[in-house]
Amino acid sequence: MPEPVNPMSASPDAQTPLGLDGVTTDAANGAITQTEGGAVTLDPQTGLPMADDAAAITESTIVPDAISGLPVFDLVDRAGVVGWVLAALALVGMLIFFYKLVGFIRRGIFADGFAKDVERHLSNGDDKQVAQILSRRRHPAARIGLFGMTLSVANPENREAASDIIASHARKEIDGLNSGLRIMSAIAVLSPLLGLLGTVMGMIEAFQKMEGAGSRIDPSVLSGGIWLALLTTAIGLVVAIPATAFHMWMQGVIARAAAVMEDVCTMVINRGELARKGALRASNVAELRQAAE
């Protein structure tokens, strides 16, 4: 009667079970041999990858799969070093834009309708009401105007001195508003140039491949090289166009804020003249009413 055969010891291969994805595991020494892509060695005591393999696995998981699978990520990766530089410039530009936008909102740049109220109350000689209006506003013009209300403008010498002091404060406010715009301008100017540089480098590489192929030129090699070369120009334009638009918009916002500051400061410095003209106008209106009656 034949002896029963142990299925686990029937052959040496039976002791080496096949794991997922074509990976062969050796339980004795902890080695995992992959059918494709080399081998990964496990520590038989801990079951963790060895030092070299752990480093390789760490490097392969630097970029999450959710990000590496995006079409934009794939295009930037195909564009090479120039593509990643342009992506970094785009990120910096977006950060600057949102930082400036939040700064404009916090400073009350978009709430500049108080200048007409200031002019009306100064014409009526109501300096206290003007001070209350300016104290409730966060606009730089309101802060400078409130500071100017504390300066004496009784005579031409005092007005000139007050004008110089207020102009100094206004320049500081405008410089603060302009911070970061040079970086945005540099991004708008350099992005298409970097894209063009990447295109030129890609074209050089494509023609070098054609030269190396000799008479056996594959049109797909040339077309693929040109496609990748033009990709950097497209990325550069995609980065430069919004950066230029944001830069022009922020310059317009700052120019408007500077104009409001100039108007408010002029009214505050010449508030005595405005009050006299307002009183004269009121007296003329009263005389006309009396004459009409």
Side-chain angles (χ1 to χ4, degrees):
M1 180 177 180
E3 295 181 358
V5 179
N6 187 357
M8 297 301 295
S9 60
S11 64
D13 295 336
Q15 297 181 0
T16 309
L18 186 63
L20 298 175
D21 300 330
V23 179
T24 303
T25 306
D26 188 354
N29 52 21
I32 298 177
T33 305
Q34 299 182 0
T35 58
E36 296 180 359
V40 179
T41 305
L42 296 179
D43 190 343
Q45 296 181 355
T46 62
L48 299 176
M50 296 297 186
D52 296 339
D53 298 320
I57 294 174
T58 303
E59 291 177 359
S60 65
T61 57
I62 291 177
V63 180
D65 295 337
I67 297 178
S68 61
L70 294 176
V72 176
F73 183 89
D74 182 62
L75 291 176
V76 172
D77 193 41
R78 286 174 178 265
V81 177
V82 176
W84 286 111
V85 172
L86 291 172
L89 291 178
L91 179 61
V92 172
M94 291 299 295
L95 291 176
I96 292 175
F97 171 72
F98 285 111
Y99 173 76
K100 296 298 293 183
L101 180 61
V102 172
F104 289 161
I105 294 174
R106 293 183 60 184
R107 292 189 179 193
I109 296 296
F110 303 108
D112 55 1
F114 60 93
K116 295 181 179 179
D117 297 334
V118 170
E119 182 179 8
R120 185 177 69 256
H121 289 293
L122 285 178
S123 299
N124 296 332
D126 193 355
D127 292 351
K128 293 183 179 180
Q129 186 64 30
V130 171
Q132 291 180 1
I133 293 174
L134 295 177
S135 63
R136 292 195 299 264
R137 301 289 180 172
R138 295 177 297 174
H139 197 282
R143 293 197 299 270
I144 296 174
L146 187 61
F147 171 74
M149 293 296 294
T150 62
L151 301 177
S152 175
V153 291
N155 52 63
E157 291 79 9
N158 291 338
R159 283 198 296 270
E160 184 177 358
S163 177
D164 294 338
I165 297 173
I166 292 176
S168 177
H169 283 72
R171 283 193 297 269
K172 292 180 181 179
E173 291 287 347
I174 294 175
D175 290 341
L177 294 175
N178 283 321
S179 63
L181 260 65
R182 289 186 178 180
I183 300 177
M184 184 68 76
S185 176
I187 292 173
V189 172
L190 294 178
S191 295
L193 297 179
L194 287 173
L196 182 60
L197 175 62
T199 297
V200 172
M201 294 173 61
M203 295 291 290
I204 292 173
E205 183 179 357
F207 282 108
Q208 284 180 344
K209 291 181 180 179
M210 287 183 60
E211 182 182 8
S215 60
R216 302 183 305 276
I217 298 176
D218 187 0
S220 63
V221 175
L222 178 60
S223 61
I226 294 176
W227 179 81
L228 291 176
L230 293 176
L231 183 61
T232 58
T233 298
I235 296 175
L237 293 176
V238 169
V239 175
I241 291 173
T244 303
F246 293 156
H247 181 260
M248 294 178 64
W249 177 76
M250 287 188 291
Q251 277 189 327
V253 172
I254 294 172
R256 180 179 175 85
V260 174
M261 279 189 278
E262 183 178 1
D263 292 341
V264 172
C265 292
T266 301
M267 289 185 292
V268 168
I269 293 172
N270 298 286
R271 59 182 180 271
E273 296 294 332
L274 287 175
R276 282 192 290 270
K277 289 181 180 180
L280 180 61
R281 189 182 306 113
S283 63
N284 291 334
V285 171
E287 292 177 358
L288 290 175
R289 287 179 179 176
Q290 291 178 358
E293 292 176 355

